Amino acid sequence: MDDYRVVADALAADIEAGRLRPGDRLPPQRRFARQRGIANSTAARVYGELVRRGLAVGEVGRGTFVRAAKPPPEPALAEPGDARVDLELNFAVLPEESARLARALEPLLRHDVLTAALHPIGAAGTRAAREAAAALLTRGDWRPDPATVLFTGNGRQAIAAAIATFVPVGERLAVESLTYPVVKALASRLGVELVPIETDEAGLVPAALAAAGPVRALYVQPTLHNPLGTTMPASRREELARVVAKLDLPVIEDGIYTFLRDDVRPFAAFAPERTVFVDSLSKRVAPGLTAGFLVPPPAWAARLASSVRSGGWAAPRFAVEAATQWIVTGTLAEVEAAKRRDAASRASVVNAKLSGFPVRGDAASYHRWWELPERWRAETFVAAAARRGIALSPAAAFAVLPGHAPNAVRLAVSAPPVETLAAALDVLVALANGSPEDLLVD
């Protein structure tokens, strides 16, 4: 019984005979080890072997389950079971990207340059970094003033600094009714109340913001909204600019995905005197090395810089120097262009596979919003997909008010290879065309 494969074979036989049914939760590994008289490490190898054979699926925080259906032959699920298909997180890292980035960083590895890059840096970075960041963030006729550009460790820290600047503890921040989940967490930590504002096909509804009562600021994602994937048209931006001017509201514009729509003027171009533009390198480059950008109006730059310093949110100098090098060499522009092409190729796959379903999202977006058939609940669908080795995000993750989430899921399509994405979508379509009751059938 020392060989973990013998124990795995016994469990496989129980699954084949129906003694363990699809969807059954296996005991926690420690309990299983005690029951079988084996070491905890052996129990872990047994469960890993079942996952590898496609007989079980592990779900973080929930346990290990007997797979709800036999794995189909598609590549998405023919991989080892511990290599799940991630349609939950957006992190596009293209095959040729690392080589491009590495070549551009070679000057930073000189002894004298690296010594300087390893020293601390303030929120304002360096003049060269500010000039480079302003060039990177320029869209059409809108170009940030390099003198006002600030740097943070990542986009989340930039958002946190902006919220902390404008919304005191106990006060209210307006957001779209479906919003970036990190903003919900930041608001909780900063003691800020979120006020959900209605959205429609064009984005946040300005009249709903005007009727929302007193708020101290607005956080909004007008370009490639997360999770809806939609982009606010210019006419709606103009209307929203008039409303925030009348309300005298600061606006925090999250532009994290604007690099995928370089043809769209940011909201900051419509309300430059009251908009703080936030962006970062996490989507442009990769989450492993990033820097955040804050572009406030000149009158607010000192306040934002103080918030960055007091929150400990300033960027590491090496990240700022790396970003500057990538920008001035044109490397980042090449990576952005490659990702726009990649997003377009994935859009064609999504459109083909999900044809006939109510799916929202800009063609340039790396995510889609899928309104599920009525027979499915989003949480049940997400759990069923997880048992097939596919990770999704339910609408509840983005809803500001508990219990007010639509029956939908977000598909993040940037991470898996295109062939794996196509196969995973086939699995999800088959699941959506069935019903939850099918999970109870062998």
Side-chain angles (χ1 to χ4, degrees), residues 229-280:
T230 53
T231 294
M232 185 183 291
S235 58
R236 176 61 61 85
R237 296 178 192 231
E238 292 170 351
E239 183 184 357
L240 181 58
R242 290 193 293 269
V243 169
V244 295
K246 184 176 180 180
L247 297 174
D248 193 24
L249 276 185
V251 178
I252 303 166
E253 178 182 6
D254 189 337
I256 190 71
Y257 287 110
T258 55
F259 74 96
L260 293 172
R261 283 295 307 267
D262 60 348
D263 58 330
V264 175
R265 296 174 74 217
F267 181 76
F270 296 83
E273 74 289 347
R274 63 180 59 259
T275 302
V276 177
F277 185 82
V278 174
D279 204 340
S280 90

Side-chain angles (χ1 to χ4, degrees), residues 2 19 87 126 186 208 233 273 282 297 300 316 328 333 336 338 369 393 399-400 404 416 435:
D2 290 338
R19 291 185 290 272
L87 303 185
T126 64
L186 289 175
E273 74 289 347
S282 62
W300 294 347
V328 299
E336 289 181 352
W369 188 247
S393 298
V400 175
H404 288 71
S435 71

